[in-house]
Amino acid sequence: MSGGVDSAVAAARAVDAGHDVVGVHLALSRMPGTLRTGSRGCCTIEDSLDARRAADLLGIPFYVWDFSERFRADVVDDFISEYAAGRTPNPCMRCNERIKFAAVLEKALALGFDAVATGHYAHIVTDAEGNRELHRASDEAKDQSYVLGVLTTEQLAHAMFPLGTTPSKAVVRAEAAARGLTVAQKPDSHDICFIPDGDTRGWLADRIAPQQGAIVDRDGTPVGSHDGATSFTVGQRRGLNLGVPAPDGRPRFVLEVRPRTNEVVVGPKEALAIRELAGARFSWAGLDPVASGLTHVTAEGDAWAPFSCQVQVRAHADPVAATARLAPSTTPDGTTDVTAPELVVEVDEPLLGVAPGQTAVLYSGTRVLGQCTIDRTVSAVPATAS
């Protein structure tokens, strides 16, 4: 129970369904003065008190579990190291993957509970053979299946999302008010929970020592300088302070961050378009595409034949039609490694501003197939064309 309206109503519905429910709030920070400011921040002291009041009203036991050290190591430190490596991580995905449905679920199962229920807007469907599938929520505007794309088959077996078939957030708030829950009109949280002021660049600057370097065009020509490559993200336009204007006078955008050489690569907006993405860190939410009959293993036995799907690269982005396949990865020296396959996704229409470190979630209609952390992208616009 995060202290918000969604998890409070989810707990209430679980009670109504006859389950033996225990409310758990996660303490993810050891900063005793952490307080919420409107819709910024979460898992604060204020939130824990709101969660306790909701649990008391529902008549269920309530506990606060301290996962601050695990959260720091698995989410916050990962966030810092990913940026230091020139990647753009999604901390909400990591939290769901490593905290809510890993650390919390492990402890819950060890204590004898059957499932972890949350207020996420997503829906679990069980097929005729008893296999569980993760699907989009009924309310597309509130759908959160993307951030749950990291769930594995085993985790889905012990997950519950009581709000998944709710037609709108307004219905949830009205239900909360009818139940007498004081969080009925509490604002939704947004931004990164451990950076409540929203200043990601400043927060990172305090943790990653800045080092001056070059800003270069796609052909390697220096066009400016920077005070720290890790403060730039793919797609960024503002704050580049370029000393050399583009030949055509158009604005440039960040296309790539190279931490090894401490370079930031810039170019025209159309160069942000990518036609392919790939990642070796992938997982499947339920039966994999082969077991689901969407594709088959190739005759060589080291890859999957291409299959049709949709891919989504941000929580609130529109899905794009794509073709995916599993293929042997390529090592830095150019050789093929059949022991380390990667998920390769080719999009029917170019995607803009996709960066390594982001998560690509694959769908088949409303069903979440799985996800991969993006390791590399292939531009839809050759460098010679810019």
Side-chain angles (χ1 to χ4, degrees), residues 2-10 13 36 39 119-121 137-144 163-177 183-190:
S2 66
V5 62
D6 293 327
S7 58
V9 171
R13 291 185 180 182
R36 186 185 181 93
S39 58
H120 285 99
Y121 287 78
S138 298
D139 181 4
E140 292 186 6
K142 291 297 295 180
D143 174 58
Q144 293 175 302
L163 305 187
T165 57
T166 307
S168 72
K169 180 63 174 273
V171 171
V172 172
R173 290 195 181 281
E175 180 178 333
V183 293
Q185 298 304 320
K186 186 175 180 179
D188 292 339
S189 60
H190 64 80

Side-chain angles (χ1 to χ4, degrees), residues 197-259:
D197 64 1
D199 183 12
T200 302
R201 187 170 184 171
W203 189 89
L204 286 169
D206 291 337
R207 291 158 177 82
I208 303 174
Q211 184 179 357
Q212 289 188 337
I215 299 178
V216 300
D217 243 331
R218 298 182 81 189
D219 61 3
T221 302
V223 294
S225 62
H226 63 78
D227 293 326
T230 56
S231 63
F232 293 86
T233 57
V234 171
Q236 179 178 333
R237 174 186 173 185
R238 298 181 182 277
L240 298 182
N241 298 319
L242 301 179
V244 180
D248 57 10
R250 294 188 300 166
R252 293 188 181 96
F253 295 78
V254 175
L255 305 180
E256 184 184 355
V257 178
R258 298 173 176 169

Side-chain angles (χ1 to χ4, degrees), residues 278-283 329 340-343 372-376:
R281 292 179 291 171
F282 57 85
S283 62
S329 60
E342 66 176 358
L343 182 63
C372 75
T373 299
I374 300 171
D375 293 323
R376 62 177 182 86

